[in-house]
Amino acid sequence: MSSAAELERALHYPLADRLPPRGGAIEVAPGVLWLRMSLPYALDHINLWLLRDHIDGRDGWSVVDCCIDRAESRADWEQVFASQLQGLPILRVIVTHMHPDHIGLAHWLCERWSTPVHECQLWISATDYQAGLYNSAVVDDVRAERSAQFFASHGLRDPDELEKIRQRKSYYSSHVPAVPPTFRRLMDGNVLRIGAHEWRCIVGYGHAPEHMALYCAALGLLISGDMMLPRISTNVSVYEGEPEADPLTLFLDSIDRFEALPADTLVLPAHGKPFVGLHTRIAQLHEHHRARLADVLVTAREHPVTAHELLPVLFHRQLDLHQTTFAMGEAVAHLHRLWYAGELRRTRDAQGVWRFALA
């Protein structure tokens, strides 16, 4: 299996190693600015996009994705407002999906830039809007306990780790304290007029409930959100809210939708650098998951396996708790794809733990 660095070298990066400075931007195409803000995780940044726009007779900008809500992010945005907007307002906030680093500051941006004569609205899929609203507003005590129970049912039995999961009661709401009270719905195939150009919505499943990427044929650009990343594979997980899900199949089917786009499309991802090589990356992701699924089958051939037992098989690095929860969800996703395909069967042992063996 090729390393992440080798896979990345197979792609072309037109901007080389250039990165936007804090509070600054790089123009990647006429009227399209690349922003980059820090995150307090191992995945330490998110890419955001400013698109020159014109709505209801007003010149301004549309924002695509927001960053989590914290003081550092708000300060970065204030620098952007002062240095990059050319004295024009933010007219709308487009969010690819409901994960905190994408929607966290949508409420602040929409309120900050709304006026009595123009409401700065959130544009997002209906499914992700409702999911974000629920996760932000609902007290997390029950969900934290259910999450611990779910991971325990897939083999995570360490009492200290389970207690830490139980204590993560406000993880989402601490990053997304509010969601705008109204929104404009994005649907697959919608065409948005953003400034002088048309952008088509392309739906994706498996990573988020109803992720929306944006494609502009005239500019040859794809704002891919988290559905197409150049160096890391997108997190595709099963969690307690939908414990029987098959998100890996949904994800792999979704990325094939991008095959119809031209090979020279410049991909603007949520993490990593803008790249050309969309078709190559789709093939790489399919190969990556084929290899991981093969590893699962080899392990299951030796003995009935739990998701927790697969962590060292699928992830060859030390994982902190934040990473472990993602890794557990991904391990279950790989097991479920094989289970739904009839290649594995599952049974529940006396301790209530799911084990998967060759069918």
Side-chain angles (χ1 to χ4, degrees), residues 17-35:
D17 292 327
R18 291 178 62 203
L19 297 174
R22 183 172 182 179
I26 292 175
E27 187 174 62
V28 297
V32 179
L33 302 185
W34 172 23
L35 314 176

mmCIF file of all heavy atoms in Angstrom, residues 17-35:
data_model
loop_
_atom_site.group_PDB
_atom_site.id
_atom_site.type_symbol
_atom_site.label_atom_id
_atom_site.label_comp_id
_atom_site.label_asym_id
_atom_site.label_seq_id
_atom_site.Cartn_x
_atom_site.Cartn_y
_atom_site.Cartn_z
ATOM 1 N N ASP A 17 3.603 25.095 -2.416
ATOM 2 C CA ASP A 17 3.511 25.110 -0.957
ATOM 3 C C ASP A 17 2.967 26.423 -0.400
ATOM 4 O O ASP A 17 3.033 26.659 0.812
ATOM 5 C CB ASP A 17 4.887 24.840 -0.342
ATOM 6 C CG ASP A 17 5.356 23.422 -0.600
ATOM 7 O OD1 ASP A 17 4.492 22.528 -0.658
ATOM 8 O OD2 ASP A 17 6.569 23.218 -0.762
ATOM 9 N N ARG A 18 2.420 27.274 -1.261
ATOM 10 C CA ARG A 18 1.846 28.528 -0.775
ATOM 11 C C ARG A 18 0.620 28.251 0.088
ATOM 12 O O ARG A 18 -0.227 27.415 -0.242
ATOM 13 C CB ARG A 18 1.448 29.423 -1.937
ATOM 14 C CG ARG A 18 2.605 29.987 -2.749
ATOM 15 C CD ARG A 18 2.070 30.824 -3.901
ATOM 16 N NE ARG A 18 1.298 31.983 -3.421
ATOM 17 C CZ ARG A 18 0.382 32.616 -4.143
ATOM 18 N NH1 ARG A 18 0.102 32.202 -5.373
ATOM 19 N NH2 ARG A 18 -0.256 33.661 -3.650
ATOM 20 N N LEU A 19 0.545 28.961 1.222
ATOM 21 C CA LEU A 19 -0.601 28.866 2.113
ATOM 22 C C LEU A 19 -1.052 30.271 2.479
ATOM 23 O O LEU A 19 -0.213 31.176 2.626
ATOM 24 C CB LEU A 19 -0.242 28.106 3.394
ATOM 25 C CG LEU A 19 0.178 26.646 3.249
ATOM 26 C CD1 LEU A 19 0.647 26.108 4.598
ATOM 27 C CD2 LEU A 19 -0.957 25.800 2.695
ATOM 28 N N PRO A 20 -2.349 30.479 2.664
ATOM 29 C CA PRO A 20 -2.802 31.814 3.073
ATOM 30 C C PRO A 20 -2.260 32.163 4.452
ATOM 31 O O PRO A 20 -2.245 31.315 5.348
ATOM 32 C CB PRO A 20 -4.332 31.677 3.108
ATOM 33 C CG PRO A 20 -4.642 30.447 2.311
ATOM 34 C CD PRO A 20 -3.470 29.536 2.478
ATOM 35 N N PRO A 21 -1.823 33.413 4.648
ATOM 36 C CA PRO A 21 -1.393 33.831 5.986
ATOM 37 C C PRO A 21 -2.600 33.975 6.901
ATOM 38 O O PRO A 21 -3.748 34.072 6.449
ATOM 39 C CB PRO A 21 -0.733 35.189 5.735
ATOM 40 C CG PRO A 21 -1.448 35.720 4.520
ATOM 41 C CD PRO A 21 -1.746 34.509 3.668
ATOM 42 N N ARG A 22 -2.350 33.976 8.200
ATOM 43 C CA ARG A 22 -3.450 34.149 9.150
ATOM 44 C C ARG A 22 -4.138 35.488 8.902
ATOM 45 O O ARG A 22 -3.491 36.532 8.824
ATOM 46 C CB ARG A 22 -2.915 34.100 10.585
ATOM 47 C CG ARG A 22 -4.025 34.210 11.618
ATOM 48 C CD ARG A 22 -3.536 33.973 13.020
ATOM 49 N NE ARG A 22 -4.640 34.054 13.955
ATOM 50 C CZ ARG A 22 -4.538 33.869 15.265
ATOM 51 N NH1 ARG A 22 -3.352 33.591 15.791
ATOM 52 N NH2 ARG A 22 -5.596 33.973 16.038
ATOM 53 N N GLY A 23 -5.448 35.441 8.731
ATOM 54 C CA GLY A 23 -6.216 36.643 8.466
ATOM 55 C C GLY A 23 -6.110 37.143 7.047
ATOM 56 O O GLY A 23 -6.694 38.177 6.709
ATOM 57 N N GLY A 24 -5.381 36.414 6.192
ATOM 58 C CA GLY A 24 -5.210 36.813 4.800
ATOM 59 C C GLY A 24 -5.823 35.804 3.852
ATOM 60 O O GLY A 24 -6.553 34.899 4.266
ATOM 61 N N ALA A 25 -5.530 35.954 2.566
ATOM 62 C CA ALA A 25 -6.148 35.097 1.557
ATOM 63 C C ALA A 25 -5.235 34.967 0.353
ATOM 64 O O ALA A 25 -4.329 35.782 0.138
ATOM 65 C CB ALA A 25 -7.501 35.679 1.129
ATOM 66 N N ILE A 26 -5.489 33.939 -0.431
ATOM 67 C CA ILE A 26 -4.858 33.745 -1.732
ATOM 68 C C ILE A 26 -5.979 33.619 -2.758
ATOM 69 O O ILE A 26 -6.927 32.852 -2.560
ATOM 70 C CB ILE A 26 -3.983 32.479 -1.757
ATOM 71 C CG1 ILE A 26 -2.757 32.643 -0.853
ATOM 72 C CG2 ILE A 26 -3.528 32.164 -3.193
ATOM 73 C CD1 ILE A 26 -1.909 31.388 -0.747
ATOM 74 N N GLU A 27 -5.879 34.351 -3.852
ATOM 75 C CA GLU A 27 -6.868 34.228 -4.918
ATOM 76 C C GLU A 27 -6.521 33.008 -5.779
ATOM 77 O O GLU A 27 -5.450 32.951 -6.375
ATOM 78 C CB GLU A 27 -6.909 35.480 -5.783
ATOM 79 C CG GLU A 27 -8.056 35.452 -6.803
ATOM 80 C CD GLU A 27 -8.204 36.758 -7.566
ATOM 81 O OE1 GLU A 27 -7.240 37.129 -8.273
ATOM 82 O OE2 GLU A 27 -9.256 37.403 -7.459
ATOM 83 N N VAL A 28 -7.428 32.024 -5.822
ATOM 84 C CA VAL A 28 -7.173 30.805 -6.600
ATOM 85 C C VAL A 28 -7.808 30.871 -7.982
ATOM 86 O O VAL A 28 -7.465 30.080 -8.871
ATOM 87 C CB VAL A 28 -7.667 29.553 -5.843
ATOM 88 C CG1 VAL A 28 -6.891 29.381 -4.544
ATOM 89 C CG2 VAL A 28 -9.167 29.620 -5.568
ATOM 90 N N ALA A 29 -8.733 31.797 -8.178
ATOM 91 C CA ALA A 29 -9.384 32.053 -9.465
ATOM 92 C C ALA A 29 -10.043 33.425 -9.332
ATOM 93 O O ALA A 29 -10.200 33.928 -8.214
ATOM 94 C CB ALA A 29 -10.429 30.969 -9.780
ATOM 95 N N PRO A 30 -10.400 34.061 -10.438
ATOM 96 C CA PRO A 30 -11.021 35.387 -10.328
ATOM 97 C C PRO A 30 -12.233 35.367 -9.393
ATOM 98 O O PRO A 30 -13.184 34.613 -9.594
ATOM 99 C CB PRO A 30 -11.433 35.697 -11.768
ATOM 100 C CG PRO A 30 -10.455 34.927 -12.599
ATOM 101 C CD PRO A 30 -10.210 33.652 -11.847
ATOM 102 N N GLY A 31 -12.175 36.176 -8.345
ATOM 103 C CA GLY A 31 -13.286 36.270 -7.414
ATOM 104 C C GLY A 31 -13.403 35.121 -6.438
ATOM 105 O O GLY A 31 -14.429 35.000 -5.749
ATOM 106 N N VAL A 32 -12.383 34.268 -6.339
ATOM 107 C CA VAL A 32 -12.418 33.123 -5.415
ATOM 108 C C VAL A 32 -11.178 33.191 -4.519
ATOM 109 O O VAL A 32 -10.052 33.039 -4.999
ATOM 110 C CB VAL A 32 -12.447 31.775 -6.165
ATOM 111 C CG1 VAL A 32 -12.468 30.612 -5.171
ATOM 112 C CG2 VAL A 32 -13.658 31.707 -7.097
ATOM 113 N N LEU A 33 -11.391 33.440 -3.230
ATOM 114 C CA LEU A 33 -10.295 33.596 -2.280
ATOM 115 C C LEU A 33 -10.239 32.412 -1.332
ATOM 116 O O LEU A 33 -11.270 31.951 -0.823
ATOM 117 C CB LEU A 33 -10.474 34.880 -1.470
ATOM 118 C CG LEU A 33 -10.553 36.207 -2.238
ATOM 119 C CD1 LEU A 33 -10.609 37.369 -1.254
ATOM 120 C CD2 LEU A 33 -9.388 36.359 -3.205
ATOM 121 N N TRP A 34 -9.018 31.950 -1.080
ATOM 122 C CA TRP A 34 -8.759 30.834 -0.171
ATOM 123 C C TRP A 34 -8.311 31.384 1.188
ATOM 124 O O TRP A 34 -7.340 32.118 1.277
ATOM 125 C CB TRP A 34 -7.680 29.945 -0.784
ATOM 126 C CG TRP A 34 -7.138 28.840 0.083
ATOM 127 C CD1 TRP A 34 -7.739 28.243 1.149
ATOM 128 C CD2 TRP A 34 -5.873 28.182 -0.087
ATOM 129 N NE1 TRP A 34 -6.933 27.261 1.668
ATOM 130 C CE2 TRP A 34 -5.783 27.199 0.933
ATOM 131 C CE3 TRP A 34 -4.821 28.338 -1.002
ATOM 132 C CZ2 TRP A 34 -4.660 26.372 1.066
ATOM 133 C CZ3 TRP A 34 -3.710 27.521 -0.875
ATOM 134 C CH2 TRP A 34 -3.638 26.534 0.140
ATOM 135 N N LEU A 35 -9.059 31.029 2.236
ATOM 136 C CA LEU A 35 -8.698 31.333 3.617
ATOM 137 C C LEU A 35 -8.317 30.030 4.322
ATOM 138 O O LEU A 35 -8.762 28.959 3.938
ATOM 139 C CB LEU A 35 -9.867 31.971 4.379
ATOM 140 C CG LEU A 35 -10.654 33.091 3.699
ATOM 141 C CD1 LEU A 35 -11.825 33.504 4.580
ATOM 142 C CD2 LEU A 35 -9.756 34.283 3.414
#
